[in-house]
Amino acid sequence: MPISVRLDKEKCKGCTRCVKQCPVEAIRVRFGHAKILENKCIDCGQCVRACPQRAKKAVADPLERMDDFKHTIVLPAPALYGQFHNLDNINVVLQALLDMGFDEVFEVAAAADMISDLTARELYERAFEKPVISSACPAVVRLIRQRFPNLIPHISRHIAPVELAAKIARERAVLRTGLSDSDIGVFFVTPCPAKVTEAHNPIGLDEPVINYAVSMADVYKRLLPLMKKSDNLPELRTSGLVGVGWAVAGGESAPLKKYNAIACDGLDNVIKLLDSIEDGQLPEVDYIELSACVPGCVGGCFTVENPFAARSRIVRFTGSETANTPVDINDVHRFWRTKRIKHIPSTILDEDFGKAIQKLKQIDMLTLKLPGLDCGSCGTPGCHALAQDVILGYADESDCIFNARDSMDGTDYLPPPFRRQGTENS
Amino acid sequence: MEALRLEFNIDGDDFQAAGEASSKTKRALKKLGLPPDTIRRVAICMYEGEINMVIHANGGTVTVEVDETAVKITLADRGPGIPDISSALTEGFSTATNQIRELGFGAGMGLPNMRKYCDDMDIKTELNVGTTVTMTVNF
């Protein structure tokens, strides 16, 4: 499974901070370096934020690829509008994107407006089994695909706003310019690495619709000197007041006030909520908006500004009206996924059921023998994870510092946090 | 094949902890690769049972046994017992106080839901001695 988070080995000290922060336990430290288990990683970017050495890097595509196309379209994620001080007119950003060299701009927020309209109508018509789970955050969709197979049928059938934006913008450009599809480059300005992975390997589409996903931080640098306030800027903004709000947690569900909608951000919170939904504990809920980052996409690891400052700026741009006339009922197929989301389990212990039970028992027994401190010194997220790695053959019991200490003759050294009162050893 | 056995103590005074046993069980069953629908049914039955034990019986124990064909859940408590099982199995029937209803519980769907989601349910109860509910979910 390709991912968009990489390790700079030179910078990694082998501390275990990222290991313990990873919400899906996808990192181990071995031989002095953190190693990402690619079959478990969902590209949420938590390790990028957690690393004090900045050794974890989220990777996006180079802006220079603009030169490969005859005609380029840029799709700014709405989180971009929250990155600038004193921005009172979104047209300033959109004009600067054109001045950077893109031939046209299509706002992801405008596509989000359309999806908001359609979602409200489908909820009204009760067109699907509730609760509907938003498909906008690819890290969340990857999490569900791995850990919550029962909830896969509840994921909204709509593609993500950026995918809809790419489809519409490309179709229009082909018609207007007469160029072939391959001459048109669609560039997404992304707030996070999960959306880079999604752009190249979409979960719900047979073919990618975005050519390149460029980092918001890279674009920010180029954009700043180009941004000019002016009284006679062209009206480039096509988004309404709802779509822009998708950049922050709560923005997507804001127009669904008539329904029982929940907004939840931060992957640990998301996991707890999905657990409750799976157990049938929240039968009244109609719609669930989930984002891996806090507080929503403005917290993505390609963003520049403090996420909470960015949120308050975004909120100033939002309101309750979308820009669109209602979506044409004959046109809704464009909004739908073309591919089914498949369950890709990452934690099954053994294909053979009897052996899986045996291994689970061994893991539980070994866990009881470990100190239960989840100290992380062994390079796994905790004692249970080490036990599982040992039984699956990826680690050794002696990786536990406490186990190793027991086998050292005549040594009873303990680091201060683990000493009992009244004992003196150093 | 030796069956897998998981045991949990349910603290009757800790509403916030109710649901922990079903979460842990769910995590274990996912590692075994059981069908997703089976796992969901087990989780629902167990969660409802746990909540019942906290509300009515001041806690108890939950035992989960897994073999090649089924998951068996046994909920045992030393609570007041169920005076009228058929009422308790009626949807909407509830003995919950207002205080408990304010917490969002006590809609009278506990036992009915448990019966709905398992394949087989057995209730043994004696007033002032306790209740043992056994549920089987086949796969």
Side-chain angles (χ1 to χ4, degrees):
Chain A
M1 203 77 54
I3 55 169
S4 304
V5 178
R6 308 256 190 287
L7 180 79
D8 182 340
K9 270 198 174 179
E10 299 283 302
K11 287 186 177 170
C12 177
K13 279 187 169 177
C15 82
T16 54
R17 207 181 278 227
C18 58
V19 176
K20 301 196 81 172
Q21 294 243 352
C22 174
V24 293
E25 303 198 334
I27 311 175
R28 301 288 184 272
V29 174
R30 290 275 180 275
F31 309 112
H33 299 125
K35 186 178 172 345
I36 301 175
L37 309 175
E38 297 199 358
N39 65 330
K40 286 191 170 186
C41 174
I42 55 171
D43 266 315
C44 70
Q46 187 58 32
C47 56
V48 178
R49 279 183 285 256
C51 179
Q53 324 300 335
R54 303 200 60 75
K56 284 278 172 56
K57 283 266 177 307
V59 187
D61 299 321
L63 263 168
E64 289 66 35
R65 287 295 163 89
M66 277 167 76
D67 305 335
D68 299 355
F69 301 91
K70 287 186 180 144
H71 186 84
T72 54
I73 306 167
V74 62
L75 315 174
L80 182 64
Y81 311 150
Q83 305 302 309
F84 310 98
H85 291 277
N86 303 321
L87 179 73
D88 52 10
N89 183 352
I90 288 173
N91 287 317
V92 174
V93 181
L94 303 179
Q95 181 61 48
L97 283 168
L98 296 180
D99 294 341
M100 252 179 80
F102 289 106
D103 296 308
E104 55 174 300
V105 51
F106 191 103
E107 295 178 79
V108 174
D113 272 329
M114 297 177 200
I115 294 177
S116 279
D117 271 344
L118 186 61
T119 301
R121 196 170 69 197
E122 287 175 336
L123 282 174
Y124 178 74
E125 290 167 356
R126 299 244 164 256
F128 27 48
E129 196 187 333
K130 72 179 200 175
V132 179
I133 299 173
S134 164
S135 57
C137 175
V140 167
V141 174
R142 276 161 213 268
L143 172 79
I144 294 173
R145 178 173 77 162
Q146 235 179 56
R147 293 248 298 249
F148 298 97
N150 283 307
L151 299 178
I152 291 175
H154 289 274
I155 300 173
S156 165
R157 61 186 165 189
H158 304 154
I159 54 179
V162 65
E163 292 167 333
L164 181 65
K167 272 185 166 184
I168 295 174
R170 185 185 291 278
E171 281 167 23
R172 287 182 188 170
V174 168
L175 279 178
R176 203 175 43 246
T177 62
L179 291 168
S180 79
D181 212 22
S182 57
D183 287 331
I184 295 171
V186 177
F187 288 73
F188 171 39
V189 182
T190 175
C192 71
K195 287 181 168 143
V196 179
T197 305
E198 176 67 13
H200 297 300
N201 299 281
I203 286 182
L205 291 167
D206 294 299
E207 293 289 330
V209 287
I210 298 157
N211 293 92
Y212 293 105
V214 294
S215 134
M216 194 165 283
D218 287 350
V219 171
Y220 177 86
K221 244 185 321 190
R222 304 266 285 264
L223 220 45
L224 267 189
L226 296 170
M227 285 177 50
K228 289 181 216 77
K229 284 193 179 177
S230 151
D231 289 336
N232 41 20
L233 279 171
E235 187 58 40
L236 295 164
R237 179 174 178 179
T238 57
S239 62
L241 301 172
V242 165
V244 176
W246 281 53
V248 298
E252 185 185 339
S253 50
L256 304 174
K257 283 199 190 74
K258 272 193 280 178
Y259 303 95
N260 207 325
I262 294 184
C264 172
D265 53 327
L267 262 186
D268 289 336
N269 295 330
V270 167
I271 289 170
K272 276 188 201 144
L273 180 63
L274 291 175
D275 252 323
S276 305
I277 299 285
E278 191 178 41
D279 294 358
Q281 294 172 25
L282 298 165
E284 76 280 12
V285 177
D286 296 308
Y287 193 82
I288 306 172
E289 170 201 334
L290 302 168
S291 49
C293 298
V294 179
C297 296
V298 288
C301 43
F302 287 136
T303 61
V304 178
E305 186 52 274
N306 177 293
F308 297 92
R311 172 173 64 181
S312 78
R313 291 177 198 159
I314 292 286
V315 169
R316 262 177 262 144
F317 288 120
T318 59
S320 57
E321 275 162 50
T322 58
N324 308 292
T325 47
V327 176
D328 180 1
I329 193 79
N330 298 311
D331 192 36
V332 289
H333 63 277
R334 279 213 291 196
F335 288 67
W336 292 349
R337 277 198 300 274
T338 55
K339 212 164 76 179
R340 274 171 54 105
I341 300 177
K342 273 195 253 144
H343 177 204
I344 302 184
S346 68
T347 50
I348 293 178
L349 298 172
D350 202 296
E351 292 300 319
D352 180 283
F353 187 58
K355 283 183 189 157
I357 285 192
Q358 209 53 44
K359 285 181 181 171
L360 192 60
K361 281 181 173 178
Q362 289 172 324
I363 291 167
D364 287 346
M365 262 156 58
L366 182 53
T367 306
L368 290 175
K369 277 172 63 188
L370 294 169
L373 294 166
D374 295 336
C375 69
S377 304
C378 61
T380 81
C383 298
H384 188 83
L386 174 63
Q388 178 164 319
D389 283 3
V390 170
I391 300 305
L392 295 179
Y394 306 133
D396 193 88
E397 263 186 76
S398 66
D399 291 356
C400 172
I401 190 166
F402 293 90
N403 273 4
R405 190 181 58 100
D406 287 345
S407 61
M408 285 183 226
D409 281 343
T411 316
D412 56 356
Y413 171 79
L414 268 183
F418 310 123
R419 284 178 209 157
R420 287 179 196 199
Q421 224 171 12
T423 58
E424 283 288 325
N425 58 10
S426 59
Chain B
M1 191 192 73
E2 216 185 320
L4 176 78
R5 193 180 157 93
L6 305 168
E7 280 175 339
F8 304 95
N9 278 317
I10 309 295
D11 182 349
D13 292 324
D14 194 350
F15 240 116
Q16 271 71 38
E20 261 176 28
S22 61
S23 286
K24 284 182 182 159
T25 301
K26 200 161 69 170
R27 227 171 295 149
L29 299 184
K30 283 181 182 178
K31 289 185 183 181
L32 297 179
L34 286 188
D37 184 58
T38 307
I39 297 174
R40 188 177 71 100
R41 291 196 291 140
V42 170
I44 293 173
C45 291
M46 246 184 103
Y47 176 74
E48 295 283 4
E50 265 183 85
I51 292 290
N52 276 350
M53 288 206 307
V54 173
I55 294 174
H56 300 290
N58 198 32
T61 58
V62 182
T63 312
V64 182
E65 289 159 290
V66 189
D67 63 21
E68 290 107 321
T69 58
V71 182
K72 190 173 149 196
I73 307 153
T74 308
L75 303 138
D77 68 58
R78 290 164 180 272
I82 305 171
D84 179 355
I85 293 182
S86 68
S87 296
L89 281 167
T90 308
E91 288 189 9
F93 175 84
S94 176
T95 58
T97 61
N98 282 339
Q99 195 191 349
I100 285 189
R101 284 172 186 260
E102 273 168 22
L103 282 166
F105 299 98
M109 291 305 292
L111 277 176
N113 257 344
M114 286 156 70
R115 187 167 64 174
K116 180 172 151 196
Y117 285 102
C118 71
D119 294 301
D120 187 52
M121 181 157 101
D122 177 61
I123 305 175
K124 288 195 169 48
T125 186
E126 196 175 329
L127 285 182
N128 303 317
V129 175
T131 302
T132 300
V133 180
T134 312
M135 291 175 284
T136 310
V137 177
N138 297 323
F139 56 89

